[in-house]
């Protein structure tokens, strides 16, 4: 449910508690908005996965020169 007004009160309260827990895990200052929270989390995700992407991109393999037999 993305519409917080349509959520049952208990579910809304659980979401708020979860947001506060995430805030405390990732930085001391609380996020000012949900957008700021999501942007911060995606930035962290990109930082974590970028070395993995770089490691999977390998340099193209060089082909060996063919030797020509002379008889």
């Amino acid at each position: 449910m993305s519409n917080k007004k349509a959520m049952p009160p208990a579910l809304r309260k659980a979401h708020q508690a979860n947001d506060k827990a995430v805030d405390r895990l990732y930085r001391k200052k609380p996020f000012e908005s949900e957008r700021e929270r999501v942007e911060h989390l995606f930035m962290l995700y990109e930082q974590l996965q970028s070395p993995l992407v770089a490691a999977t991109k390998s340099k193209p393999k060089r082909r060996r020169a063919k030797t020509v037999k002379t008889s």
Side-chain angles (χ1 to χ4, degrees):
M1 291 184 167
S2 59
N3 185 356
K4 290 186 179 182
K5 292 180 182 179
M7 285 185 194
L11 181 58
R12 186 176 332 120
K13 191 173 182 177
H15 272 270
Q16 290 169 345
N18 188 56
D19 289 346
K20 286 180 184 179
V22 170
D23 289 356
R24 286 191 306 266
L25 287 172
Y26 289 100
R27 62 185 219 182
K28 292 178 184 180
K29 178 184 164 195
F31 295 102
E32 293 183 18
S33 66
E34 188 166 334
R35 180 185 177 125
E36 185 182 9
R37 178 182 298 106
V38 170
E39 287 174 350
H40 183 77
L41 294 174
F42 271 107
M43 179 200 59
L44 293 174
Y45 169 75
E46 288 174 352
Q47 289 173 355
L48 287 172
Q49 65 94 21
S50 63
L52 299 175
V53 171
T56 60
K57 292 182 180 179
S58 61
K59 295 180 183 177
K61 294 182 179 181
R62 298 176 95 186
R63 292 183 160 209
R64 291 185 181 187
K66 291 184 178 181
T67 55
V68 178
K69 292 184 180 180
T70 55
S71 332

